[in-house]
Structure formats: C-alpha cells, structure tokens
Amino acid sequence: MIAKHTLQAAELLAAPRGASGHQRAYDYVRGQTQRLIEPLNPEDMVAQSMVDASPAKWHIAHTTWFFETLVLKAFVEGYRIYHKDFSYLYNSYYNSLGERMVRGKRGLETRPTLDEVLAYRAYVDEHIAALLLRASNDEALLLRVSPFLTLGLHHEQQHQELLLMDILHLFSHNPLFPAYQSSPPTLMRDVPPHRWLDHEGGLVEGGYAGDGFHYDHEGPRHRCFLVPYRLGSRLVTNGEWLEFMDDDGYNRHELWLDDGWGWLHKNHVSCPLYWQRVDEQWHVMSLYGLMPLNRHAPVVHVSFYEADAYCRWRGYRLPTEMEWEHAASHYPMQGKFLDSGYYHPQVADNEDYHQLFGDVWEYTSSAFQAYPGYRRLEGAVGEYNGKFMSGQNVMRGGCCITPQGHMRLSYRNFFYPSMRWQFGGVRMAADVD
Amino acid sequence: MIAKHTLQAAELLAAPRGASGHQRAYDYVRGQTQRLIEPLNPEDMVAQSMVDASPAKWHIAHTTWFFETLVLKAFVEGYRIYHKDFSYLYNSYYNSLGERMVRGKRGLETRPTLDEVLAYRAYVDEHIAALLLRASNDEALLLRVSPFLTLGLHHEQQHQELLLMDILHLFSHNPLFPAYQSSPPTLMRDVPPHRWLDHEGGLVEGGYAGDGFHYDHEGPRHRCFLVPYRLGSRLVTNGEWLEFMDDDGYNRHELWLDDGWGWLHKNHVSCPLYWQRVDEQWHVMSLYGLMPLNRHAPVVHVSFYEADAYCRWRGYRLPTEMEWEHAASHYPMQGKFLDSGYYHPQVADNEDYHQLFGDVWEYTSSAFQAYPGYRRLEGAVGEYNGKFMSGQNVMRGGCCITPQGHMRLSYRNFFYPSMRWQFGGVRMAADVD
Amino acid sequence: MIAKHTLQAAELLAAPRGASGHQRAYDYVRGQTQRLIEPLNPEDMVAQSMVDASPAKWHIAHTTWFFETLVLKAFVEGYRIYHKDFSYLYNSYYNSLGERMVRGKRGLETRPTLDEVLAYRAYVDEHIAALLLRASNDEALLLRVSPFLTLGLHHEQQHQELLLMDILHLFSHNPLFPAYQSSPPTLMRDVPPHRWLDHEGGLVEGGYAGDGFHYDHEGPRHRCFLVPYRLGSRLVTNGEWLEFMDDDGYNRHELWLDDGWGWLHKNHVSCPLYWQRVDEQWHVMSLYGLMPLNRHAPVVHVSFYEADAYCRWRGYRLPTEMEWEHAASHYPMQGKFLDSGYYHPQVADNEDYHQLFGDVWEYTSSAFQAYPGYRRLEGAVGEYNGKFMSGQNVMRGGCCITPQGHMRLSYRNFFYPSMRWQFGGVRMAADVD
Amino acid sequence: MIAKHTLQAAELLAAPRGASGHQRAYDYVRGQTQRLIEPLNPEDMVAQSMVDASPAKWHIAHTTWFFETLVLKAFVEGYRIYHKDFSYLYNSYYNSLGERMVRGKRGLETRPTLDEVLAYRAYVDEHIAALLLRASNDEALLLRVSPFLTLGLHHEQQHQELLLMDILHLFSHNPLFPAYQSSPPTLMRDVPPHRWLDHEGGLVEGGYAGDGFHYDHEGPRHRCFLVPYRLGSRLVTNGEWLEFMDDDGYNRHELWLDDGWGWLHKNHVSCPLYWQRVDEQWHVMSLYGLMPLNRHAPVVHVSFYEADAYCRWRGYRLPTEMEWEHAASHYPMQGKFLDSGYYHPQVADNEDYHQLFGDVWEYTSSAFQAYPGYRRLEGAVGEYNGKFMSGQNVMRGGCCITPQGHMRLSYRNFFYPSMRWQFGGVRMAADVD
C-alpha cells in the first residue's frame, strides 16, 4: 500500500502533469509538512540548537516564502506580499533575494507566532491554488510556472528532512529526552553477515539520465573510468562500531585524517553524536527518545571523519560517489524512506537487503565538486547548489527521514566533514586486487 | 492608591509578621510574577537572547525551584520533589546545590512546556501554603523558615526585573519590534534644568541600618570619610546624550577608559544599546516597542564605560556609591518603580524631582567590593552576592521595572562595566573646589 | 649554465647512484639551504608570523632532525642523538614520532641559538657522511638507507620553499618592508595576449610514470576520462586582476563560493595578500621588498576562493588537475624555479611561453584526494601526505621559489582554499562547446 | 655598599638637582637597562610570548622613543627624529601620540636589529646630553624639561621590571629552561612563624605626601577611615601554598570568586604559574632557570583570584590598599629590590623581617580606582595611569626585580585579576573582632 502510494508521489513530483497534477503534488507535499509538525507544540518550534539548524517554525515559514518569492511574486501580477518583513525573516541564504537575518539568531524570533505563520501558509496556498486554476486554461503560463513550483516542492521536501534532523538535535539537548514519536518499531532480528559485491567498472556513465525534475548539480551526464572495485553488502552496524571503539579507534592517530584528528580533540569526540551511557549501558537519542543501542542496526550520526577512520581501521575505504552510483544503478530504488513511517534506521532485512537506499545517507570519499560541463545557473536558483562546491563531501542514497518522492539514483547530498546531525552511516568499499 | 499599596508591600516584604504575614507576602510576590507574564505567549517565553539573559519560562521555574530547594526540601519532612530533573534544569549558579545545565543552553529547553512549569509553580505554592499553615501553630518552625522564605521572595523580585530586562533584549532582536505593553504613557513635558546640589561630606556612615530584610553585602554599617562633593539635580537626558554624540564622543579616545575604548571598537558601539535610526530619526526600542526618542527623558541602557566617558566629556565624574547613598539618605525613597506601571524611564517631574529612586539605576564609580567587616555567608546563600565581588560596578537607586518592595537606600546592584541590558542611566558628580 | 646545473641536480635527486651519488645529492641540497639563509641575520630567523608558518631557524633544525630520526637513529647502531629535547622541539606533525611542541609556539624558542642549530646541522652532516662512507662498501646498507635519505632531501627542498614563503610573510608585517634580496630583476616587457589551447581529452592516463623518486600520492598511475577542454596560454596578470577589482569583483556574491564569500567578509579581503596602496599607487610586498605593481606580471598570492571567483567572473573556470597534467605532459618541464635566481614571478617571455612550470603554482579545481588504488603508507612516512586528503585543493607546476630538482609533472601540492602565502596564481580553463 | 648606592639613586630620581643631577640620573637609569640585557643574546630579544608581554628589544627601543617624543621633539628646536617609522613601531598605547602597531605583533619585528636599536639609543642619549648641557645655562629650560625627563626615567625603570618579567615568561615556554642568571643565591634558612600585627586604624591619611616625583594616581593625599585590622607578619610561603593544594583548594568552589572559578576552569589552573612537576618533585621556573621549590620562600606568580581564594581558605582576607599603606608607613622602605642582585624572592630574614617592601608585590583587595579629588591629566601623560582605572587590582610594595629608586610607600601598581607573570605574592589580613 505504502509503496504504491509513494511511487505515485514520486511520479507526481518528478514531472507533474497539467495544472491539476501540479495542484495534487502541491497538496501532497504541503500536507506532509503539516503532518510532520503535528507531534510538536508551538514552544518546540521556536528554538534553534545550533547555527546549522533552524527552528521548525522557521522551516515552515521559509518554505512558504520560497513559493511566495519565486512563484507568486514572479507570476501573479499585482500580488500583495503577506508581510513586508517576512523576506528579511525567512530568506535562508539567497544573496540574490535581498537582506536577511543573521542565521544564528533564528531562535530569537518568537514572533510571528506559530498561528501567524500558519496563516501565512494558508494565504500562500490559496494564491497558489488561484494561480494554478488560472494556469489550467493557460498552458503558456503553466509552462513558465511549472519549473519554479516543482523546485519549490522539492525544496520543501528537503526542509521536511531538515526539520526532523533539527528537532532531533534540539531534543538531544534536553535532559528530559523528549520523543518526537512514541512507540518505536520493534524489528528484532539479527543483521545478515557482511559480504563483498564485486564490480567490473570500466568506462561508465554517471549523473542524471532522464527528463524529470532533478537538481542542476546532478548533471550533466558524463563518462568516468572506474577501476574494478567492491562494495560491502550492507551498512556498518552499531555492534561493529563498538568493536572500533573497543580497539581504541578514537585514540589512534594513524587511523585519522589530520583534520579529523584535530576536530576530534577539539570537540572531545569519542562516540557517535547521539550515543550516551546510561546506567552503564549505551543508549542512543532518537526521534523516539532515548533508546538502548541496538547492535544489529546501522550506525548513524557519525561524521565523515569518523566514517573514514572506521574504514581505514578495517583495512578498507569509503566508495567514491561514482562507484556508489554505478553499483546502485543495478538495483531498484527501494528502501525505508520517510513515507515508511520509520524515524530511525532499522536492521537490514531481506526485502531491502542492500539498504543502498533509505535508512542512512551513505558517505562517499568524493568531495562535492562540479561534474564535467557543469555551469552554475544564473540568479537565485544558481545559489541552490553550485556555491557550495567547496569543502564538503557527497553522501548518497537517502535516509529514513527523506521523503521518497524526493530521492533519485543520481541524488547528491553534501555536508562538511565534521557534521553529524544528518542521518549519516557507513558502507565500506575496497579495491579488487 | 498605588503608593499606599506598594508601601504596604514593602513593609510586608521587609519583615513579614506571623505565618499569615508570610503567606500574604508570598501571595503578593508570586501573584505579581504571574501578572508579568500575562502579555507574553508561550513561544515568547522559550528563547534566550544572550548568555546573560534567560527565557521567561526559566525565570518562573527557577524562582519556584529556589523555594522548593531552600524551603520545602529543608523544612518539610518527606517532601517529594516535583521532578527529579528540575534541579538540573533550574539551578542558576549555585555550585553548592549540585550539577546544572550550561547557562547558554537555557533557550533549548522547549520542554517542560509552560503549562508544565505552571503546574510546578502550583505544586510548590500548595506545599508552601501547607507549611505556613503548620507554622502558624509552631513559632519555632516559622522562625527557622522565615529567613529562607523571605529571601526567596526578594529573590523572585529580582527575577521579575530580570524577566523584563530579558524580554526587552529578546524583542529587540526581532525585526517586528514587538511591544510587551501597548499604549506608552505620554508624559510630555520639558525636563527641568540641571543644577548642582552640594554636600559637606565628612565622616559619615553607610550600609544598611535597621533590622528588616537586606542582602548580606549591604552591610555591615560602617564609617567612611567623604570630601565635599556635589551631585547633579537630575539624570542625564537623551538630548544631552545626543550632544555627546554630536561632539564625536564615541570617537575621542581621551574620554574613555582603556577597557572601554577596546570594548567600543570590538563591538562597534556608537550609541546606547536600543537606539535605532529609522527614517532618519532616532528611535528607541522599549517594552512599548519602537518609540521615537524623547530628548527630555533620561538616557538609559548605556554601559558603565559610556557613562564614565560622558561625565569626563562634561568635565565631571560619576559619584562614588557612598556619595550617592549619603546624598540620597536625605530624601524619601520615592520614585517610579515597577508598581507605578511605567515600563520605561519618564521625564523628571516635580514630584520625583531628583529621580534618585526609580526610573533608572544610577552608575557609581565604585567597584563592587566588600564593606569593612563583611564576611561571606556559608553554603548556598553565600553564593548569592559575595562571590561576585570582582570586576563589577555598583549601581544604585532602582529603576522603573524594579518592584518597589524590593528597593532600599542601601541596595547595591552590580554589573560588569560592558553590560547594557539593565536599565542603567547617569547622574553626574563633581568635586567642590 | 644554470639549466645544465639544475638538470644534473634533478637527476641526482630523482635517483642518486651509489654512495657517492647520495653524498653529492646530500651536499647539494644541504648546501642550498645554507645559501638561502645567508641574507638573513639570526634575529630574522626567530620569529613565526602565523601558525601555518615557521621560523627559519626551525626549518633548518627540523630538516636536520628529519635526517637524524629517519636515517641516523634507524641505521647507525649506537648513534647518540645530539640533544634529548630536540625531537620535542623539531618534530613537525609526526604523531608516530612522539610528543612535540605546540605548533603556534615555535617563535618562542629563542634557544637553541642559531649557532647551536648550525652545530647540530654539522653534527648530523658528519654522521651522514660517515654512514655513506660505510655504505660505499655495503650495498645492502645503501639499499636500505637510500629511500629515507632521498626522502629527507626532497623533504628539505620543500622546506626551502616554505622557508622563503615564511620569511616573506614575516617581513610583510614589518613597516620597514625589509628585502630578502636586493636588486629585483628588471625584465620589462609586455605580456603576450591570452589565447586558448584546445585539448581533445578522452581516456588518458595520469599520475607518476617512471621509477625515480616521487611522493606516494602522485600515484598510482591510473586512467581517467577527459571531456574536450581548453587551457589559457598564459597566467592571469596583475593588470587583469585590477580589472576584476574595478568591476567590483570582491563585492559581487554571485561570483563566489559560499565559503569564500564568508572568508572574504570575515577577513576583510579586497585584494591579493601582499598588495598595498602607497601614495595612491598599488605596490606589492615581495622578497625584494615593496615594489610597484607590474601589470604585466602574473598575479600571485591569491587564495583558491579568489582564483575561482576570478574565473567565474570571466565566464570560465579553473582546470581540473588531470586536465592540467594532461596538457602539461606535452611540454618540457621548463620554467623559472628557485635555481634561476628569480624570487618573484616574472612577465611571460618566449622561452617559457606557457609558464606551465615555475613562476607560480597554478590552482586546479580538484580537491586533494587519493588516486584510485592509493593506500596510505604505514608509520611516519604515511603521515607525509595521506592524512591531509581532506579540505585542501591541488596546485600544480611549481613556482619561482621551488627548487627545480624537486619538481615533477605529476607533482601535487595542496593547500586549504583560504591560504595565500604560497606563491599561487591562476590559469583559466574552459569547456569546448 | 649597595644600600648606600641605591639610596643615592632614589634621591637622584625623586628630585634630580640641576642639569648635572639630571644627567647623572639619566646615566644611572639608562646604564642599568644596558646592564640588564647583557645576559641576553639578540635572538632572545626578538620574541613576544603573549600579548601582555613585549620583546626585550622593543622595551629598549620604546623607552628611547619615550625620551625622543616627550623630551627631544618637544624641547629641541629642529630636532631630527632618528627614523620616521619608529614612532609607529615603538609607541605602546598612547593614542595621543599617533598610530601604532598592533600590540600582539611586536614579536614579528625582527628588524630593526638589536644593533640598530642600540644605535638609536646612542643617538637619543647624545641629544639628551646636548640638551642638558644647554639647560645647565638656562634654568627656565631645565624647569620645563625636568618633569618629562624625570618621568622618562621612572618610565624606563618600569620597563626594566617588565623586561625581566617578560624574559622569564618567554623562557618558561622553552623546554630547555634557559637561565637568565646563573648561580642562584643559597639563602637556606627556615621561615619565621606567622604572627598577626594589629593596627588601630581610625581616620588616617593616605596617598603621596611630599614634593618629589610620583605618579599622578598616587595622589591626592586624602583622609580615609580604617576599622581596626591586623596584617600578617610575613608573606605566605610555598610550603603553605602546598597545604592549600593538598586540601583541594583549587577544586573547592566555595573558596573562589565566581570570575576566578571560571578563569581557573577555562585555563586548567591547578598551581602557581611557573610551578612544574619534574621527577615527582615540584620545581619552579625562575630567572635562574628551573629550581627545586623552596618551601620556606614566599609563593610568587599567583593571580589575584588565587591570592583571594587562599586567604578565604585560611579564614582571612587580603588587606585593602589603605590598610597596607597605613601599616607600612610605620616601617622604613627597605627590602630586596633589583639593586640587591636577587632575581627571585628569598626566604624572610631578620633584616627585612616584614618583607613589606621588595621580594614580591603584595595583593590588596582594592580595585584600582581614583583617590578623592583625582583628575586625569591632559594629553599623553594622562594616558599613563588614569585610563586603566577599571577592572584592575592594586598591588603594593615592589618586588625583587623592581629598581629601588623607583619605589615609594604610596606606589600603586595594578594588574588584572587573572594576571600572573608579575612577581605577585600574598600577605594576609584580618579584622580585629
């Protein structure tokens, strides 16, 4: 049931058809955001726990501002913006779109209240509906609106994931360990053994292929030469990570990148981000609150530095993003995404044996850089991805809180190597000798 | 009416009589806190705008924890604390009272919600009432409870002022400039001219005299020799401050203390904290929202460094705290305090001609240090004031958001010289040649 | 003459033959270091101008320690280390080789004095000579010693370049603008016009090919697919950089990477590192002291961020390192290196038309990452390069202060994108449409 | 011999008579500076170990610049300054005297070399001599020159002490523990027992009395009321400090000022500044190099925070500066100063029983503030002391590296409460009950 539902959603979002298709896609995404904030109270939605995170209220206002700015202001003549100060409040990082608040102060905006922000959402939804109604009789208009509306929907899906990441990070600072969701799923099973899957490589193609929606940096499609390589059949587990810790992995400089070794000492890192010792037992803070650590489940919330050190400790390495994409291209894009209703990575099972998609974002060794032939877009849209091509690493495959309709084989997510609040995990790779 | 009411309150608080007097004092103070948060919504009460400030919700929980810890846990056998984690959450800085949260993270505690904190208040209020009921028949018990309960009430009054300071600081970061109170009072009149009032000085006495409640650092009563001096008849006004600015006061090193000159450049300070240029006009952010600057009203929210530089520019100086206290001892403790219903300093009028009390805290040149014979108290109570006797300066006289029952002639408030979010203003002093 | 001399040096260093060849190579490199410090006085050699730089005295002690530790201690039985504290003082970043001083405090080591450090050098030189003498009759010994001795020589050459970079950085902080070398060369000529040179690309090979000395990260040799591309025929000049500045290049966010835009504002960057306005004219601080800016000479001491922004402003991009290497493989490795006696990049001339080698290190868009099949070496040698494969960018081709014998077509230098004290310049690349 | 010599010096410096008296005073002070740098080599004189310290070379240039600027430029018509950039290089903190180098970069000025700075000294000395020669026939000129020349001499004496403080701080960072002086004196004796000396207090006078040279902030002479108090007969010793440490003094919050408790944790302080464990024994770094700790000698190089905590631990307190001055006024100003040839505080003996003067600066509880009637001077001279009257504490009595001719009963030295590189020690005070 779920699968069918989300596949429809994926189709809806990749290439919505007609004005009504756009409206259905819009309703689907906007409705999902609304459902995501249901377990929160207004107070939860105010706070910002670090400069990289944002308050939940900000996310739902910002995504609305995105539609107002790129769609309504652009395509509705005489459109009256909802509030003159909202652009200042809810612009994230678009230099092209004017002045904005200092990022680290978002948690101070107790006003507008949640109710006011919801009214803003309703106002924009209403005007989008009116615009699409008009476009149902004006194909030229629809053609012009469609790319921006569709971008807005994918943008909002990204913020759905961010909203959950940020709530978890916020709640992790609370000594009461609040749960976003009660009743964690109890898939109790042993993880299957780790095996190597070999790939021939050679001159392969990578990057987005097709004509649906995708981000600019997923292309152009291009050729790339891969030496024979192997990928682990499954993700690294919490139990395996404990072996790394027991073998003094966090104290052995020879396993670490120099930047990582500095980061680790400066921040006193000695375990994954949300791990805690309670009554002599390892627990993990999650969207289900504090849970005992499941040794069979995939490790999550480690940094690139930690992922890299772990692989070196095992005598292996991380895959490059082209290795990952090439290998994954042989499998259907199935896995536990947000729509599956799991808010924490689960133990691998037969159905999604490889866990290539969903559960956790997988680290690659590849720096986030332009593909051959890539050109940064002009204007605000050009600030979406291209300006971040420095100092970050690519992650692949989506995670348990990524909306399925948002994911693609060619999807490139990117984070700085010290970041850990994203749902990042590890799959090993190796050379074929 | 108000005056009478507050005088009664002052009496109640200085030395409550009998169990019922204590209950009346308790109800009075706790009720005032409750009234102060009425204009706020739960979201406003979450955020912390800087490390020196706290969320409003934290203030009302912390003051409750203070009663629970120093009164209920100490004097009610078998008392069940409300929640095991609240001491960790709501201890402010008492090392004697166990572990506590990092101060700068108070704004992340979206839970417990406001409703839960209000329930905590009700629970503690109930147990205090029960304790006092018991004490109404047990004089020995009342005698033991009284100092701590009374301290708790004065402590809560301090937090009433802090709560308003912190709300103003928080709202000042909001581009919408929210108002805590609507309808600012419109006392439109010209400020009276500045005159000098001379004092003989000589060998005088200072420090608390009496047998009511007072903080330890207001005593012991002691002798001190004062050279003849003069005090300004009124506070420095916004209009006069503009003259200082127009004369390049913020750019002339010779007017400033070296620390102040460094502070000013590091923080790009060029006007009082809440001043803003809007449409070419100076405005000031206040608890009434953004208001046009009134040139006749006292300047407020300047730092000690600024106050000191201003006086030097005029060719004068700040008073010492003993000069201030000696001069003020000749006048009744009248002025605009919190109970007067003014949330911003007002233009001087005839009634409160000198404005020695109320409106703004007045800077003194005196470092906050022990009076001769002072000894720090043992235990948690000893952490209240004594441990802060380094690097801070004394301010005198209370301000418009200080509860009147809280003020005394001998009251010593203290702040670091760079702080500006307290309601601090300037009265000049000079030597008599 | 010079050319012949340096070619011999290059041969000597790539694969020294026999014990006497090693001794000749050793004498050559160690002697060059000695010559480099001749223009300095002992006081100049004490100071450290930033955490990334080191005092000249430290460089000459550290390179000596490198030989003592990796050669003498390893291969001379009963070797007595010169001083028990020197390993602590002169270890740079080798965690495998024990405790060491905090990097930023190197400028505080006024003792040992320069004389003592020179005595240390003499002591080590003497023992190296004795070891090589022994090895002249013991081929097995020579075989074991050779890799480490050779590494030590290349290591010292790197520090020769660092020593000059660091001296320039130090002198740039001195209001007297001291000159390391007097009489700058006066090659006054116009720069040739900029042209595009096209390359077919395709499936090419990159990485070190041969059997001489090279760093581990220059290999393995591997295949790579290149889309057709073009490279600029010459470097970007100071004059062209002024056009960028005149067109407001440092103030237009759309030209910059997000990290670069943040870096630029935090550090108030608005021109290349050593540029200064003196009497309304642009000057540049150099190893020849302060000189008027030559518009025809290559721009130097810009960061990766600036290089990237410049290319985007022109509508082009930086080359990838494989594009650069593939293009450069068609030309002889000729250019102005340290041995040429130029301490500042010169205007392009006919002889070294492309300036692909020497003059300035050329930025590539490539992150410094492992080639396919690369494995980090074990032990201290493994810390040489592998652990830095994060967050840095590759530069190619050597510069005017790089010893020629040190350079290779496959040589990969790497720096963080904000660094500017290396002699870094810009060659543009473009796609072939 | 020494005593007689230094008394003459003191007299010379307090009020030099005639042009020749000025010249003798000048020669005396300038010569002492010259002798102080004899044990240093030029390299030692380059480095700056922290922002509060300066290179020795800077001190000797700065004191010279002071004479050039305040005497030669002011009183010698047509005087040609030695070098146009030296004011920029050698101005310390006088905003009135023009632009200057960032303080923390003094250690980067390897040029001018020591030889050049010594030539600068000689040039200025020569012109001062010529000026005084002229003044020997021109009383009016002498009268005008005298205050500035005398100030320059006292200023240079302050820098003599700073130079030694800074050299010790620098050498303490060197793992070789260099000694400024060899052969430490071996006054091996037991410290006499600690006794209390009572003082009546009452209405006393304090501040400079006389007509010799003194700093502006030592006056005006003024009255002050002292409650009866007692002072310790001697300084706190290293042995007593070890008792404090053994009793967990650094880990008991109730002993500390809040600022001190924060400082201690931020800086991981657990013993006096220069203490080190070597082979399980406490040692102390000194101007004699690393020495075993002498339990009988006075503790030195503790901060105000530590001094304050120690006294509280013993149940006592620090004296106020007026208590100290009043008590000390009953004793001759004798003690071990720089001229005695001791470069480290010595065990108390009979001769200097109280050690009120010399050996170590004694902490007082008094903030550095203006005496009643104090007015900051105009111009550069006004920046000497007055602008530092914020956040610092007064120390009294001079130390073993203070030139005797520089000391006065009324001398007020001042430091921030966290500073430890000055020779600061502890004498306890108490109330008389």
Side-chain angles (χ1 to χ4, degrees), chain C residues 337-409:
Chain C
F337 293 108
L338 178 60
D339 317 65
S340 316
Y342 296 102
Y343 294 89
H344 199 73
Q346 300 298 313
V347 180
D349 63 7
N350 291 333
E351 235 175 289
D352 61 350
Y353 184 52
H354 289 283
Q355 286 183 310
L356 278 162
F357 299 99
D359 282 305
V360 299
W361 288 99
E362 302 187 13
Y363 279 107
T364 75
S365 63
S366 299
F368 178 46
Q369 298 199 302
Y371 287 157
Y374 172 80
R375 294 292 292 265
R376 201 196 278 190
L377 300 174
E378 301 273 318
V381 179
E383 297 191 52
Y384 208 105
N385 295 302
K387 76 176 180 184
F388 298 110
M389 288 177 169
S390 175
Q392 307 204 41
N393 286 76
V394 175
M395 306 189 79
R396 291 300 199 110
C399 75
C400 57
I401 60 164
T402 310
Q404 171 150 4
H406 189 62
M407 193 39 45
R408 283 174 297 283
L409 170 62

Side-chain angles (χ1 to χ4, degrees), chain A residues 24-37:
Chain A
R24 275 208 315 283
Y26 185 86
D27 291 345
Y28 172 73
V29 170
R30 299 282 283 178
Q32 191 160 33
T33 301
Q34 215 80 19
R35 279 187 300 279
L36 284 181
I37 63 173

Side-chain angles (χ1 to χ4, degrees), chain B residues 376, chain D residues 249-250 252-258 261 264 305-306 309:
Chain B
R376 201 195 278 189
Chain D
Y250 281 95
R252 289 165 53 186
H253 66 82
E254 73 271 18
L255 301 175
W256 294 79
L257 289 163
D258 195 56
W261 189 241
L264 173 157
Y305 295 134
E306 290 166 284

Side-chain angles (χ1 to χ4, degrees), chain A residues 95-96 223 225 253-254 256-259 312 315 365 367 369 373 375-376 383 387-388 390 416 431, chain C residues 95-96 223 225 253-254 256-259 305 312 315 365 367 369 373 375-376 383 387-388 390 416 431:
Chain A
N95 295 306
S96 316
R223 271 175 292 178
F225 188 82
H253 66 82
E254 73 272 17
W256 293 78
L257 288 163
D258 195 56
D259 282 358
R312 188 167 295 108
S365 63
Q369 299 200 301
R375 293 294 292 266
R376 201 194 279 190
E383 297 192 53
K387 76 175 179 184
F388 297 111
S390 176
Y416 288 98
D431 299 332
Chain C
N95 295 306
S96 316
R223 274 176 288 179
F225 189 82
H253 66 82
E254 73 272 17
W256 293 78
L257 287 163
D258 195 55
D259 283 358
Y305 295 132
R312 186 166 296 108
S365 63
Q369 298 199 302
R375 294 292 292 265
R376 201 196 278 190
E383 297 191 52
K387 76 176 180 184
F388 298 110
S390 175
Y416 288 98
D431 299 331

